[in-house]
Amino acid sequence: MTPSVRLLFSAAVLASVLMPARLPGQDLPAARDQIVWHWFGACASADSLILDVQVDGKPVYSSTFAVCHMRRTEIKPEPQERLLTFHFDAAPRRFGAQYRATEPEPIVGNVWEAGRKGDAIVLGVSFATTERVLLNTRHVARPDRAGRSEWIRGVVLTTRPVRRGRTTSN
């Protein structure tokens, strides 16, 4: 390695060590000002999403909640995270061979806002028994079209938009 190449390499290494790294959760200035979809909170718009959960074709939960476009900086932390909770009975084994129980047990499902995008809300979804978490995953809910997730055969979560209060002029 020639002295000039060694000097350039050393400068690049030094710059990468001295430059502050962006930590997870830190938004870049442009990202903090980004307009994203958000649920509940200060959403007074006419836009809503319907969330349905079915197990083996039978409805076990349905909820409609407001969604709105907001700047990230305008979204205020809430004292308690919004959580949609539902219950059904199923054999934990259906969530994976590592779960030995084959008889139906009470399963608790939870849905929360796990992320915000310019075109969607990322919902966190978990299923658990009293003893263990069976599945922890995500579902992308778009305010402009239906979405469907089936992580476990027969356990289906769907979201679809509801637009109220919008009028069209003739």
Side-chain angles (χ1 to χ4, degrees):
M1 195 180 286
T2 66
S4 60
V5 170
R6 196 173 312 126
L7 180 61
L8 283 172
F9 178 75
S10 297
V13 169
L14 183 60
S16 68
V17 170
L18 294 178
M19 291 184 80
R22 191 169 70 88
L23 299 173
Q26 276 185 325
D27 292 328
L28 297 173
R32 282 194 302 256
D33 204 37
Q34 182 184 14
I35 296 176
V36 295
W37 283 98
H38 176 55
W39 78 347
F40 293 105
C43 295
S45 76
D47 294 330
S48 297
L49 281 175
I50 295 174
L51 178 139
D52 290 313
V53 179
Q54 291 189 351
V55 177
D56 298 330
K58 297 176 184 156
V60 296
Y61 183 75
S62 184
S63 180
T64 302
F65 51 89
V67 296
C68 57
H69 249 154
M70 295 180 72
R71 290 193 188 283
R72 284 189 191 274
T73 54
E74 294 171 350
I75 299 171
K76 305 295 181 222
E78 296 186 28
Q80 184 174 349
E81 182 178 28
R82 300 275 183 171
L83 192 64
L84 303 177
T85 301
F86 53 93
H87 307 268
F88 61 95
D89 289 338
R93 177 111 176 135
R94 80 182 306 159
F95 287 86
Q98 69 272 27
Y99 306 115
R100 297 177 188 233
T102 57
E103 293 301 315
E105 293 182 28
I107 307 283
V108 176
N110 289 303
V111 178
W112 64 95
E113 184 181 86
R116 303 171 187 119
K117 296 177 156 190
D119 63 346
I121 298 171
V122 179
L123 300 176
V125 181
S126 69
F127 298 94
T129 65
T130 56
E131 296 179 12
R132 67 184 52 88
V133 174
L134 303 170
L135 177 67
N136 193 15
T137 189
R138 294 175 179 222
H139 170 85
V140 177
R142 299 189 190 282
D144 62 343
R145 67 180 178 266
R148 182 181 191 275
S149 295
E150 184 175 8
W151 311 278
I152 302 300
R153 189 175 184 181
V155 179
V156 179
L157 184 145
T158 58
T159 51
R160 64 185 187 280
V162 175
R163 298 221 193 291
R164 291 184 229 142
R166 303 247 172 143
T167 58
T168 56
S169 53
N170 291 336

